[in-house]
Amino acid sequence: MESIEKLLQLIPHYEGLPELLRLALPMLVSCVLVFALLALAVLFLVWLERKVSAHIQDRLGPMYVGGWHGWAQTLADALKLLLKEDIVPESADKVLFKMAPFVVFLGAFAAFVVVPFGAMSFVTDLNIGVLYVVAVGSLSVIGLIMAGWASNNKYSLYGGMRAAAQIISYEIPSAIAIMTVIIYVGSLSMVDIVNAQKGGILHWFIFRNPFVFLGFVVYFVASLAEVNRTPFDIPEAESELVAGYHTEYSGMRFAFFFLAEYANMILVASVATTLFLGGWTSVLPGGTQLVPGPILFFGKALVLIFVQMWLRWSLPRLRVDQLMYLSWKVLLPVSLALVLGVGWLAVDW
Amino acid sequence: MFTYFRDIGLGITTVLKSMGVAWRHLFTPSVTLQYPTEKWTMPERSRARLLNIIEDCIGCGQCARVCPTECIRIQTEKRGKEEPEIVASNGTAIKLRTIVFDIDMTLCCYCALCTFACPTHCLVMTPAYEYSVYDKREHVYHFAKERSKIDKPPGGPSPAAA
């Protein structure tokens, strides 16, 4: 936000503006900036997902719209979704039904506030950044259960209930896996965490010690479940629940669920990049920055997102009991053991 | 306890194995054919749209009789004695003038029985399979070229040229 404030000061007579406007303008600009970037990234990722899935299944995917390998397909789809009729079921709870998609999106969107995309490009540096991400990130579960309940549809309700059970269960191992990094840094601020990993690939936490590496694996698996991706997509299991919590949605509200899903993917990839893969810091040993930080950051996040997609098209969906087994009986004990291990190494005996 | 750890190990290895399979398929060439721009080469003897070589047709009507969906409509009249004798390419004398030879391809079931019945092999199936039209009446193919030499045609609309 500081860099945006500096930019805004280039506006003539900026200092002469009312106090309230000067306070609100940087927030508004950074919000719009993050939203625009996020929407662009989502458009790209939906296209990428379709391409990756197609090629894994020996197909081609979208090929026509826009010329080169159907690059404009998602643009056309988004336009179509925006123009479609917004259907609200007769017996739905209208207010909650209309609100839910935005609540879901809000959770993902608000968490981006503390993600440092580059040395200077972050909205704000909270001293409890990681806690904020974990807390705000799980806000979306309220939206999901809201959508499931307000639709007044058995499939939606099942989807919402499953989403709640799943996301809350997987919050715990993912938060504990994040603890392994926090023990190292001794700070919850995202910027401090990135700064502690400066100096090339060997300084990234993932390669510092085996416990943190396993912590990364646990976080990655748990984050997949948190964003409802296959193999943990039981809240929207299309073969059982039609489309889960968003069965009754159409048009722009459906698009918002879609946006939220991909924004959540980007969020967990960004958080994993920041915590374990050195954020925007360079790959090269010694830490010479050849490419700008934000590009490097998105590159690393993109690799993680690609792995998410890769997993999605490799694995079948888990059953509900298998899902709970994995969370409570495997990931939770493993992550606790990892925290103990990191703590044991961190203590100066 | 042992099975617990064995199951975890099994889970990890099978996930990695399936990811390996997916990775291999990511780089195998796609099987998709970009249809309107790329096309199958149809087998030489594939059986799609019917074609009647009307010059060889003797108007015997066996095709219409054998057709299970009755999609072939034939009307003939006798050729006059004074008209020059003509023969089909396999030597059969053509004694009837085919004035109507319509095939309704919307009814055709592609069984090819008519082509086996045809004594002069003038009714054949061609590999042409792209003949969608906006009006289904355009799917009635008129093969007869000769018009009736009798003043009044024996009923039905006059056949247009195919």
Side-chain angles (χ1 to χ4, degrees):
Chain A
M1 198 130 90
E2 283 127 38
S3 38
I4 289 166
E5 261 166 22
K6 267 181 210 147
L7 240 134
L8 283 173
Q9 265 152 21
L10 297 177
I11 301 171
H13 313 299
Y14 180 71
E15 298 298 326
L17 289 172
E19 183 81 17
L20 202 66
L21 200 64
R22 262 192 303 165
L23 211 64
L25 214 54
M27 291 183 200
L28 193 72
V29 169
S30 40
C31 258
V32 169
L33 208 66
V34 170
F35 182 78
L37 277 175
L38 204 59
L40 262 178
V42 168
L43 281 181
F44 169 70
L45 286 182
V46 173
W47 174 81
L48 188 72
E49 169 113 56
R50 293 180 66 174
K51 280 307 218 188
V52 167
S53 72
H55 283 281
I56 283 178
Q57 296 168 350
D58 295 352
R59 297 181 287 115
L60 285 173
M63 286 298 281
Y64 285 103
V65 187
W68 186 79
H69 286 261
W71 66 271
Q73 181 66 52
T74 40
L75 222 61
D77 286 346
L79 207 65
K80 180 204 76 174
L81 283 170
L82 289 177
L83 294 174
K84 271 175 103 167
E85 188 187 352
D86 178 26
I87 301 167
V88 180
E90 185 71 23
S91 56
D93 186 330
K94 305 264 181 335
V95 180
L96 287 186
F97 185 86
K98 286 179 178 170
M99 222 163 70
F102 306 109
V103 175
V104 175
F105 180 66
L106 185 76
F109 182 58
F112 276 99
V113 166
V114 292
V115 176
F117 299 109
M120 285 309 290
S121 36
F122 51 87
V123 179
T124 182
D125 176 27
L126 290 181
N127 57 356
I128 51 157
V130 178
L131 187 66
Y132 173 81
V133 166
V134 172
V136 170
S138 54
L139 196 71
S140 63
V141 72
I142 298 172
L144 295 186
I145 213 166
M146 211 189 245
W149 181 261
S151 298
N152 204 356
N153 172 320
K154 59 187 169 191
Y155 297 122
S156 301
L157 187 57
Y158 267 129
M161 293 304 226
R162 284 180 176 194
Q166 171 177 329
I167 293 175
I168 291 168
S169 311
Y170 277 84
E171 280 286 301
I172 298 160
S174 85
I176 294 175
I178 288 174
M179 283 296 291
T180 55
V181 168
I182 291 165
I183 289 170
Y184 248 103
V185 186
S187 162
L188 284 167
S189 150
M190 299 282 258
V191 174
D192 284 353
I193 289 170
V194 175
N195 285 337
Q197 302 180 68
K198 271 182 180 167
I201 190 163
L202 292 174
H203 285 75
W204 298 356
F205 284 133
I206 184 172
F207 298 122
R208 284 274 188 91
N209 83 36
F211 292 116
V212 182
F213 178 79
L214 286 176
F216 169 73
V217 174
V218 169
Y219 176 75
F220 189 77
V221 173
S223 72
L224 275 180
E226 270 182 71
V227 299
N228 302 329
R229 298 272 308 169
T230 322
F232 307 110
D233 66 339
I234 60 160
E236 44 190 297
E238 57 263 31
S239 47
E240 310 153 36
L241 297 182
V242 189
Y245 49 84
H246 56 62
T247 304
E248 295 287 352
Y249 283 88
S250 64
M252 198 192 65
R253 286 175 213 283
F254 174 76
F256 252 86
F257 272 118
F258 222 71
L259 192 64
E261 192 188 326
Y262 279 84
N264 263 319
M265 273 172 72
I266 302 171
L267 177 68
V268 293
S270 304
V271 171
T273 305
T274 313
L275 294 177
F276 298 97
L277 300 180
W280 49 267
T281 61
S282 170
V283 187
L284 299 171
T288 39
Q289 200 88 20
L290 289 181
V291 269
I295 293 176
L296 207 60
F297 182 91
F298 285 120
K300 290 174 186 175
L302 199 62
V303 171
L304 286 182
I305 291 170
F306 172 76
V307 177
Q308 289 182 353
M309 291 176 179
W310 180 11
L311 270 168
R312 172 169 179 184
W313 298 103
S314 316
L315 300 176
R317 186 182 307 125
L318 262 65
R319 254 183 359 239
V320 183
D321 62 313
Q322 291 169 333
L323 189 91
M324 290 297 150
Y325 181 94
L326 182 64
S327 172
W328 294 106
K329 285 183 139 176
V330 179
L331 292 183
L332 186 61
V334 166
S335 56
L336 283 171
L338 292 176
V339 168
L340 282 180
V342 172
W344 182 66
L345 284 182
V347 170
D348 195 9
W349 291 105
Chain B
M1 202 62 193
F2 172 71
T3 49
Y4 173 78
F5 286 110
R6 197 196 53 196
D7 285 349
I8 292 176
L10 199 67
I12 293 168
T13 48
T14 47
V15 164
L16 291 178
K17 217 177 265 179
S18 69
M19 283 176 84
V21 172
W23 184 258
R24 264 206 313 282
H25 276 276
L26 195 57
F27 297 104
T28 43
S30 140
V31 293
T32 310
L33 208 68
Q34 292 292 91
Y35 165 61
T37 42
E38 295 168 29
K39 278 170 194 170
W40 282 95
T41 41
M42 292 294 283
E44 205 183 328
R45 294 175 56 176
S46 49
R47 305 187 300 199
R49 190 172 65 190
L50 280 166
L51 174 74
N52 186 31
I53 303 149
I54 196 70
E55 286 78 19
D56 279 356
C57 184
I58 57 170
C60 62
Q62 288 192 54
C63 47
R65 210 169 301 134
V66 78
C67 181
T69 59
E70 297 180 359
C71 69
I72 305 174
R73 198 168 72 92
I74 300 179
Q75 278 178 16
T76 52
E77 63 183 26
K78 274 197 172 156
R79 289 164 59 86
K81 286 269 167 57
E82 67 284 1
E83 287 180 61
E85 277 185 24
I86 45 173
V87 288
S89 55
N90 69 344
T92 316
I94 299 177
K95 296 194 170 147
L96 293 171
R97 180 177 14 260
T98 313
I99 50 173
V100 176
F101 195 106
D102 291 354
I103 299 180
D104 191 348
M105 287 308 288
T106 60
L107 296 177
C108 180
C109 68
Y110 302 93
C111 64
L113 285 177
C114 50
T115 64
F116 301 127
C118 185
T120 59
H121 303 295
C122 72
L123 190 58
V124 290
M125 288 197 128
T126 58
Y129 61 96
E130 293 168 304
Y131 49 99
S132 313
V133 285
Y134 283 102
D135 188 344
K136 73 173 181 181
R137 280 171 298 189
E138 288 174 52
H139 261 160
V140 181
Y141 288 86
H142 310 287
F143 289 106
K145 281 184 190 132
E146 290 185 82
R147 287 173 173 275
S148 173
K149 293 264 167 87
I150 304 168
D151 291 341
K152 272 187 183 172
S158 63

